[in-house]
């Protein structure tokens, strides 16, 4: 199988080998050491401050989103949310569910966030800013420098969902003034799903300590207390944490986040150059390095996603149901992929074209 989907992604042999072994008991000094290493390595990759902390929550990316909303916001907040697709809408829904006052910057699907649009909300007495820096449903990457400047000017507490963007696009917690970053094990970290990772600045930790989270499982304060000794309040996804440890060390040894961003960016550029031979179009002008959304101006009856999966053993991600007539599929560039793997996908598309299916 060759997997260009947007998560889970292709894992290396290093990660797969750990997954093939028995899961060990975790209330041990050895596992505590792994957790503490993971925290330090995540902070280094995100250029977080020394006094920041990392939480490893067993759950999906959405668990990380909900837990973050529950722990860092309260009834005194007025949150501004960028909503340009399915995951922006999810943050709106979560804030509404937990009675957090919020407004949304509603963007047309696939459109970039512009300076003009953002500054319509300048000086409006918001307390926090919340967004998915890469809106995975459309592939749009929102300009972190633009957002950082706006939040600093308006003194906004900045929370970024970087589930798809982490390791694919530039993000520096200190330089960009980011208070919370959340990501997941199954994207560019290239491990199985199961761990949501939340990195908190010193200001975010203060918010957690001052808030009263109405949850046992999602209580960040409890997680931070246990994390001091390298443990979690409840049973974590132990094997995934061990896989993360190996992967994080690998990333550090290979040059850190800058080198991984270069690698993923190069893969994305290579694919986007090669796909120009087909009657497809890459419409978005602000794509993340993590994903390419492939469109067609002509109606194509063939289900290319299913043909690739069933006949070529190649996986790409589907488009949103309501966009399936214009967006054909989404191709991820995260994980254990190479330019040669891009060539394999292109060859399969050529063969499908020769068969007259598009």
């Amino acid at each position: 199988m060759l997997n260009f989907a947007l998560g889970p992604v292709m894992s290396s042999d290093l990660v797969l080998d750990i997954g093939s072994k028995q899961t060990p008991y975790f209330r041990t000094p050895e596992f505590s050491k792994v957790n503490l290493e993971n925290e330090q390595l995540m902070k280094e990759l995100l250029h977080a401050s020394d006094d920041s902390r990392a939480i490893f929550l067993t759950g999906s990316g959405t668990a990380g989103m909900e837990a973050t909303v529950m722990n860092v916001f309260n009834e005194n907040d007025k949150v501004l949310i960028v909503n340009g697709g399915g995951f922006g809408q999810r943050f709106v829904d979560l804030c509404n569910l937990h009675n957090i006052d919020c407004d949304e910057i509603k963007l047309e699907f696939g459109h970039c966030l512009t300076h003009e649009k953002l500054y319509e909300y300048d000086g409006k007495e918001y307390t926090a800013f919340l967004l998915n820096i890469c809106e995975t449903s459309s592939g749009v990457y929102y300009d972190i420098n633009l957002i950082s400047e706006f939040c600093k000017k308006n003194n906004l507490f900045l929370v970024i969902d970087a589930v798809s963007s982490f390791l694919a696009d530039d993000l520096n917690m200190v330089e960009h003034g980011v208070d919370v970053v959340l990501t997941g094990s199954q994207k560019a970290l290239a491990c199985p799903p199961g761990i949501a990772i939340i990195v908190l600045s010193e200001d975010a930790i203060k918010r957690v300590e001052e808030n009263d989270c109405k949850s046992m499982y999602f209580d960040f304060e409890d997680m931070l207390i246990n994390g001091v000794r390298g443990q979690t309040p409840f049973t974590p996804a132990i094997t995934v944490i061990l896989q993360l440890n190996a992967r994080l060390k690998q990333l550090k040894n290979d040059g850190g986040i800058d080198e991984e961003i270069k690698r993923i960016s190069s893969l994305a550029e290579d694919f986007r150059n090669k796909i120009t031979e087909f009657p497809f179009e890459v419409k978005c002008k602000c794509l993340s390095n993590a994903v390419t959304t492939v469109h067609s101006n002509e109606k194509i009856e063939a289900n290319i996603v299913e043909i690739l999966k069933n006949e070529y053993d190649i996986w790409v991600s589907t488009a949103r149901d309501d966009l399936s007539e214009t967006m054909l599929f989404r191709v991820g560039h995260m994980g254990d992929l190479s330019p040669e793997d891009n060539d394999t996908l292109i060859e399969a598309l050529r063969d499908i074209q020769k068969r007259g299916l598009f």
Side-chain angles (χ1 to χ4, degrees), residues 132-343:
N132 320 85
I133 193 71
C134 168
E135 174 51 68
T136 317
S137 62
S138 67
V140 166
Y141 171 71
Y142 301 120
D143 185 344
I144 182 59
N145 294 311
L146 173 66
I147 291 159
S148 172
E149 176 189 81
F150 176 84
C151 289
K152 288 175 181 177
K153 182 177 184 294
N154 286 274
N155 194 30
L156 300 181
F157 183 85
L158 177 55
V159 177
I160 289 181
D161 168 357
V163 170
S164 293
S165 184
F166 175 57
L167 297 175
D169 304 300
D170 182 40
L171 184 59
N172 183 312
M173 284 189 72
V174 171
E175 284 188 10
H176 293 132
V178 184
D179 292 291
V180 181
V181 173
L182 63 108
T183 189
S185 56
Q186 78 278 18
K187 301 285 187 175
L189 283 166
C191 293
I195 296 291
I197 306 164
I198 303 97
V199 181
L200 307 166
S201 72
E202 184 179 18
D203 285 345
I205 294 168
K206 288 177 183 175
R207 275 184 169 248
V208 168
E209 292 172 345
E210 291 169 0
N211 276 355
D212 182 19
C213 179
K214 300 295 185 184
S215 173
M216 179 182 288
Y217 190 77
F218 283 154
D219 186 353
F220 280 1
E221 188 170 15
D222 194 14
M223 295 178 202
L224 290 170
I225 291 168
N226 278 270
V228 171
R229 61 189 179 95
Q231 285 290 329
T232 56
F234 311 104
T235 304
I238 298 165
T239 297
V240 182
I241 286 177
L242 296 174
Q243 290 169 310
L244 275 172
N245 186 249
R247 174 68 172 138
L248 290 168
K249 288 178 179 177
Q250 180 186 56
L251 286 163
K252 182 174 182 177
N253 292 336
D254 288 347
I257 191 168
D258 293 337
E259 286 304 312
E260 186 66 2
I261 289 172
K262 286 180 187 176
R263 189 187 72 83
I264 293 176
S265 174
S266 177
L267 280 173
E269 183 179 6
D270 178 70
F271 174 76
R272 290 166 193 172
N273 288 335
K274 287 172 178 173
I275 204 170
T276 56
E277 69 178 79
F278 301 105
F280 302 151
E281 186 178 359
V282 179
K283 290 184 176 181
C284 181
K285 305 303 181 188
C286 50
L287 280 174
S288 166
N289 293 319
V291 53
T292 301
T293 48
V294 180
H295 298 254
S296 174
N297 288 323
E298 303 173 6
K299 184 171 176 58
I300 294 177
E301 297 292 345
N303 188 328
I304 295 175
V305 174
E306 287 296 305
I307 293 170
L308 285 169
K309 174 172 66 76
N310 296 331
E311 301 182 31
Y312 299 88
D313 204 21
I314 297 173
W315 294 66
V316 296
S317 287
T318 57
R320 224 172 62 175
D321 288 344
D322 59 334
L323 295 168
S324 58
E325 289 190 5
T326 57
M327 186 193 294
L328 298 174
F329 51 87
R330 296 172 294 159
V331 174
H333 310 296
M334 301 171 285
D336 193 31
L337 293 169
S338 68
E340 291 72 29
D341 293 325
N342 284 347
D343 290 336

Side-chain angles (χ1 to χ4, degrees), residues 32-167:
S32 292
K33 181 179 180 233
V34 167
N35 270 328
L36 292 170
E37 283 179 346
N38 286 352
E39 179 174 29
Q40 184 58 38
L41 289 165
M42 279 299 303
K43 288 166 58 174
E44 290 175 13
L45 286 170
L46 281 165
H47 306 290
S49 62
D50 290 340
D51 51 17
S52 62
R53 294 287 307 278
I55 284 170
F56 298 86
L57 169 65
T58 296
S60 67
T62 301
M65 292 168 71
E66 181 161 25
T68 298
V69 168
M70 294 172 69
N71 281 272
V72 303
F73 299 138
N74 60 40
E75 66 277 3
N76 297 317
D77 281 303
K78 185 176 182 182
V79 182
L80 184 59
I81 303 172
V82 177
N83 183 359
F87 292 95
Q89 182 62 48
R90 190 166 300 178
F91 265 136
V92 173
D93 294 341
L94 284 168
C95 284
N96 288 334
L97 177 65
H98 293 286
N99 298 313
I100 306 299
D101 187 15
C102 67
D103 289 335
E104 54 187 305
I105 304 175
K106 187 72 173 175
L107 301 176
E108 190 173 342
F109 187 82
H111 284 223
C112 311
L113 177 64
T114 64
H115 183 279
E116 293 72 23
K117 184 67 174 175
L118 179 59
Y119 274 79
E120 290 176 14
Y121 299 86
D122 187 30
K124 301 291 187 182
E125 298 185 349
Y126 293 102
T127 62
F129 194 95
L130 179 58
L131 83 159
N132 320 85
I133 193 71
C134 168
E135 174 51 68
T136 317
S137 62
S138 67
V140 166
Y141 171 71
Y142 301 120
D143 185 344
I144 182 59
N145 294 311
L146 173 66
I147 291 159
S148 172
E149 176 189 81
F150 176 84
C151 289
K152 288 175 181 177
K153 182 177 184 294
N154 286 274
N155 194 30
L156 300 181
F157 183 85
L158 177 55
V159 177
I160 289 181
D161 168 357
V163 170
S164 293
S165 184
F166 175 57
L167 297 175

